[in-house]
């Protein structure tokens, strides 16, 4: 006991001295970012001069070229591309959706889900059946489903405090609904947009077909239109309500694309890597501002801050612009493959892909029993002045997910405030104007702060 | 020691039992608000069907009448008005501002500061002198200032994490700058809008004249225009740059107006009051959505939640719509006077007047040494699941400020995230569309939660 006491007094003194140095350095990071930050103007370029950048598109290539030049302009130690094959899906001409109820034909806001096949050239018209879960398909069976347009209309559960939770529990309708409905012979699927917001933006997003059943056309419908359709079905007293759907998507051959990687090489442990990233590709409906222009611009900003402060990291710190998060995840897989092939040791990977909103903290994937209390004891106080001190268990990000197989890596998700993300996520409204400069910068500074702490002290909190 | 241990074990058991009940009740409060919340639709009415409601205006009276009816519709135990005389200032026709630099006459976005006098009918044209502090006036003296238009152009200090801090340190330019410049014979004052945002909205707000010196016209200029004016002054190499200012304000006689008060009367200690409020008046440029429509609608929502849950408070809980926060504070003073006259005992007052953004927590005015650690030990864990657990020292609100004189009262400020407030504060952009439904509701639920805890356990944390 005596020895333990002496040890912990020594540790406490060390921790206190560290904490003072650390707290001074974190303040430097924030000052640099809030006074000289560049991520907002970089995001402006990405959104306004490039715009949407769906995988395989000419714009995605422009974003790769520009991203590499941007990193080079900052004088990082290494800047390079990682070649990766990506799916190439195109939406084609604007979709059409009509509710046909009695003699009314009511145009409604829809958009094809990502990876959806097209309808026949003259569209599909069929009776609509409204469902609230995938399970209902099983109970209705082919007799109830065949030839119909399945309308999944389960709204967000508003009781979740964080919107990611509501998205998680409603998301099966979009991700898996079309495949599940096809099993019973549905003609097409329309899905209530995955959002709390009541407005007329349809929200796209990938759906995954099941190769054992035919692919069927799939579209999202705005929440206002979904409510209208549901009301019309209720008021029809059993008479069929029909829906007309026309979409014009196509799959092109896989395309060559790239992850963009920039590195500050470690001065003590160059082979040990801390990765910070987001995804460069976006959906095609808008500018991919919050999803995930903010994440990539914050990631490169972390390295820019360190360069500006003359910080020489112990470990190699990499900013990665991952390609193809939205409809395949090829970039994330490629990055992990290359890391394994090069026998790199990754100590941490941090992803920002939940929007560029005010930071709340970070979530740690599958932490061991002691990890969370230990990291909170060590670092929470340091992050508290910046209101980014929520250090909790939770998901990280889909691009860094494939690194999970690597021994010793800690996967971390940047956690911005979640309330507004799904209002604009995957919609025509995901534009630069909806990003707040200071919120974006505070996020970048909080990410730089956490990475500084990891670089200085490691993550030995188990 | 042994006794203390036994006591604290007993206390711990009590606290643990309480915490379980409390945590269940807080979850009920949130569920009620997130599923059945009414404050967003109420705010819509206030913003869109009534609109701006500056003190003394016909719209302010409409808001009073509607507010009282709204409270009556919820069946609170008492609903009443408190008569109060308020100043009645009118902006008049839209202001004109021109930069005159050489042969250029450049129209710029300005608006009169609240309580400003008008210029002469043909406006004021004078040389501009750019200053960054009130102190500079003293060093320049009458020789440097007399007859000129003083342009205060000190920007927000971006290093503050909370924007309220930056507002606080830049605010003297607007509050006191015109009076201070008048002392040295300035012709008029223009003030850089109090915001981090770079855009073309001028931000109004009250200025206070000094009765020992003449009142002079005072206006805010947008940050984009302020930068332009500053650049033109720099590039003029000492040649004078002039400014033309015309505003058309007037002071009318003081008007009769009202605070609106609703009460759930306490079942155990009816004479002990917990007040929750915001201010019903707004500036005249927009809808007073975040300033402070959100605050009043959240305050009445707290009582609505309690009614909906069938909660019978021990203490009397009052929602107060204060009148005239923006340019005088008459409503807040009246409420405190009445409370003193009626010999009421106020145990806590909570104000929401920093916007309807995602809640972060609450600030306690001038807490004693032990208060903060004790309240954090007791309640932080309960609020953590709702991410509204920042319990810190800080300001409360100007409407409840006059209650400070009352013995035993704790003044509390609701603390939403601060990053976006000053983008829209006092501008034509403070409209309903910039309020997020869930952020607003989460704020109302966090306020109801804190008030529930105070009602159950008091605030004996000293």
């Amino acid at each position: 006991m005596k020895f333990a006491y002496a040890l912990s007094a020594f540790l406490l003194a060390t921790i206190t001295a560290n904490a003072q140095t650390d707290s001074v350095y974190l303040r430097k990071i924030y000052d640099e970012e809030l006074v000289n930050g560049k991520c907002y103007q970089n995001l402006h370029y990405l959104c306004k001069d490039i715009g949407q950048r769906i995988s395989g598109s000419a714009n995605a290539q422009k974003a790769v070229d520009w991203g590499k030049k941007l990193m080079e302009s900052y004088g990082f130690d290494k800047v390079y591309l990682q070649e990766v094959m990506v799916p190439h899906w195109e939406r084609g001409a604007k979709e059409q959706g009509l509710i046909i109820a009695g003699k009314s034909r009511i145009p409604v806001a829809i958009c094809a889900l990502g990876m959806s096949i097209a309808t026949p050239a003259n569209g599909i018209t069929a009776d609509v059946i409204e469902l609230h879960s995938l399970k209902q398909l099983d109970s209705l069976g082919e007799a109830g489903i065949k030839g119909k347009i399945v309308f999944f209309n389960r709204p967000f559960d508003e009781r979740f405090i964080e919107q990611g939770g509501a998205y998680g529990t409603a998301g099966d309708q979009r991700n898996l609904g079309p495949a599940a409905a096809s099993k019973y012979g549905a003609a097409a699927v329309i899905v209530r947009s995955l959002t709390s917001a009541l407005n007329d933006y349809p929200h796209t997003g990938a759906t995954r077909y099941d190769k054992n059943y035919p692919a069927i056309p799939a579209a999202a419908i705005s929440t206002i239109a979904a409510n209208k359709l549901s009301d019309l079905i209720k008021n029809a007293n059993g008479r069929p309500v029909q829906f007309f759907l026309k979409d014009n998507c196509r799959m092109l051959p896989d395309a060559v694309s790239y992850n963009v990687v920039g590195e500050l090489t470690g001065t003590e442990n160059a082979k040990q890597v801390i990765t910070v990233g987001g995804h460069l590709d976006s959906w095609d409906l808008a500018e991919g501002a919050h999803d995930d222009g903010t994440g990539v611009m914050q990631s490169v900003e972390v390295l820019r801050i360190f360069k500006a402060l003359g910080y020489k990291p112990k470990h190699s710190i990499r900013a990665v612009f991952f390609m193809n998060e939205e409809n395949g995840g090829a970039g994330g897989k490629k990055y992990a493959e290359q890391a394994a092939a090069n026998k790199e040791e990754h100590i941490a990977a941090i992803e920002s892909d939940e929007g560029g909103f005010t930071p709340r903290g970070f979530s740690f994937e599958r932490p061991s029993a002691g990890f969370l209390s230990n990291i909170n004891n060590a670092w929470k106080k340091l992050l508290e002045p910046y209101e980014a001190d929520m250090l909790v268990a939770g998901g990280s990000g889909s691009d860094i997910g494939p690194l999970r197989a690597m021994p010793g890596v800690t996967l971390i998700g940047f956690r911005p405030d979640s309330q507004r993300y799904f209002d604009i996520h995957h919609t025509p409204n995901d534009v630069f104007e909806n990003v707040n400069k200071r919120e974006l910068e505070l996020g970048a500074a909080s990410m730089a702060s956490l990475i500084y702490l990891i670089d200085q002290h490691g993550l030995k909190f188990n």
Side-chain angles (χ1 to χ4, degrees), chain A:
Chain A
M1 277 299 277
K2 205 164 184 184
F3 176 72
Y5 176 78
L7 182 69
S8 65
F10 170 75
L11 273 178
L12 192 68
T14 314
I15 287 168
T16 308
N18 279 343
Q20 282 167 357
T21 320
D22 291 340
S23 101
V24 169
Y25 213 87
L26 262 50
R27 190 63 250 185
K28 279 190 193 174
I29 288 171
Y30 273 87
D31 286 354
E32 165 59 27
E33 182 55 22
L34 292 172
V35 175
N36 303 316
K38 299 287 180 284
C39 51
Y40 190 66
Q41 71 188 53
N42 288 337
L43 182 67
H44 186 274
Y45 189 94
L46 182 66
C47 289
K48 297 301 179 187
D49 291 77
I50 298 175
Q52 73 82 11
R53 44 200 180 275
I54 193 169
S55 289
S57 66
N59 264 12
Q61 185 57 44
K62 275 190 206 168
V64 165
D65 295 339
W66 172 75
K68 182 161 177 275
K69 273 190 199 136
L70 180 73
M71 290 197 192
E72 286 166 348
S73 78
Y74 288 140
F76 299 155
D77 298 322
K78 293 182 191 166
V79 176
Y80 55 93
L81 302 181
Q82 278 183 334
E83 189 177 311
V84 56
M85 294 304 290
V86 297
H88 188 188
W89 176 84
E90 274 187 359
R91 181 173 304 278
K94 190 160 169 44
E95 304 85 346
Q96 288 174 271
L98 292 173
I99 303 171
I100 304 165
K103 287 177 184 170
S104 312
R105 293 171 66 87
I106 306 160
V108 289
I110 63 157
C111 68
L113 294 185
M115 311 300 267
S116 174
I117 62 162
T119 58
N122 57 351
I124 288 175
T125 303
D127 290 358
V128 179
I129 179 165
E130 178 179 346
L131 304 182
H132 284 79
S133 74
L134 273 59
K135 272 192 191 161
Q136 285 180 281
L137 291 167
D138 299 325
S139 52
L140 288 163
E142 207 173 285
I145 302 297
K146 195 174 169 70
K148 290 189 178 149
I149 293 181
V150 172
F151 165 40
F152 287 112
N153 192 32
R154 185 165 88 260
F156 265 26
D157 183 342
E158 295 301 336
R159 294 170 301 175
F160 281 95
I161 302 304
E162 295 202 357
Q163 288 278 276
Y167 181 71
T169 58
D172 62 335
Q173 299 173 102
R174 188 199 79 202
N175 297 328
L176 308 173
S182 170
K183 198 168 144 185
Y184 297 109
V189 165
I190 48 181
V191 180
R192 181 187 183 90
S193 286
L194 296 174
T195 180
S196 280
L198 198 61
N199 62 32
D200 235 333
Y201 292 115
H203 293 226
T204 191
T207 196
R208 290 199 297 275
Y209 292 121
D210 179 335
K211 62 180 187 302
N212 298 313
Y213 300 97
I216 56 175
I221 183 167
S222 78
T223 48
I224 285 179
N227 287 356
K228 176 173 293 206
L229 177 54
S230 182
D231 286 347
L232 286 166
I233 291 170
K234 273 186 210 86
N235 296 334
N237 294 317
R239 290 188 306 278
V241 170
Q242 290 196 306
F243 200 87
F244 167 80
L245 172 68
K246 177 159 166 29
D247 61 35
N248 312 286
C249 334
R250 58 175 181 162
M251 286 297 309
L252 297 164
D254 284 1
V256 177
S257 191
Y258 304 92
N259 296 327
V260 187
V261 186
E263 181 181 293
L264 299 182
T265 304
T267 52
E268 294 181 14
N269 306 293
K271 281 275 180 185
Q272 292 185 325
V273 181
I274 302 167
T275 291
V276 56
H279 63 86
L280 189 54
D281 66 304
S282 77
W283 282 110
D284 57 324
L285 295 172
E287 298 166 5
H290 277 291
D291 188 13
D292 183 26
T294 53
V296 286
M297 294 300 103
Q298 287 172 325
S299 298
V300 70
E301 192 76 353
V302 169
L303 273 64
R304 189 203 65 75
I305 293 170
F306 288 147
K307 281 289 285 187
L309 294 177
Y311 180 67
K312 305 287 181 203
K314 296 178 182 180
H315 309 81
S316 293
I317 302 179
R318 280 197 204 137
V320 183
F321 296 176
F322 293 97
M323 181 52 67
N324 185 229
E325 190 272 346
E326 293 294 6
N327 56 342
K333 284 172 212 147
K334 173 61 68 170
Y335 183 74
E337 277 167 28
Q338 286 292 323
N342 296 337
K343 302 194 192 314
E344 293 169 358
E345 186 184 340
H346 282 243
I347 63 172
I350 298 162
E351 181 152 355
S352 168
D353 186 21
E354 299 184 15
F357 304 98
T358 288
R360 307 293 301 228
F362 299 91
S363 53
F364 297 84
E365 202 177 292
R366 304 177 196 167
S368 70
F371 184 94
L372 278 185
S373 60
N374 292 334
I375 195 171
N376 272 286
N377 287 339
W379 292 350
K380 189 179 177 69
K381 281 276 170 216
L382 289 166
L383 294 166
E384 220 173 50
Y386 308 103
E387 302 177 7
D389 58 317
M390 218 177 74
L391 304 175
V392 296
S396 59
S398 15
D399 295 298
I400 60 174
L403 289 170
R404 200 171 288 129
M406 196 161 269
V409 70
T410 301
L411 300 188
I412 306 170
F414 167 62
R415 294 275 280 252
D417 192 81
S418 68
Q419 300 309 322
R420 288 175 284 146
Y421 189 50
F422 293 101
D423 292 3
I424 57 174
H425 180 248
H426 296 184
T427 75
N429 202 23
D430 187 9
V431 293
F432 178 77
E433 289 75 3
N434 287 323
V435 179
N436 177 282
K437 180 172 185 282
R438 281 184 51 94
E439 292 189 350
L440 180 70
E441 291 174 348
L442 287 167
S446 72
M447 290 159 63
S449 296
L450 181 68
I451 291 170
Y452 163 85
L453 293 171
I454 296 172
D455 185 52
Q456 285 290 310
H457 309 295
L459 268 169
K460 301 293 179 202
F461 292 113
N462 290 315

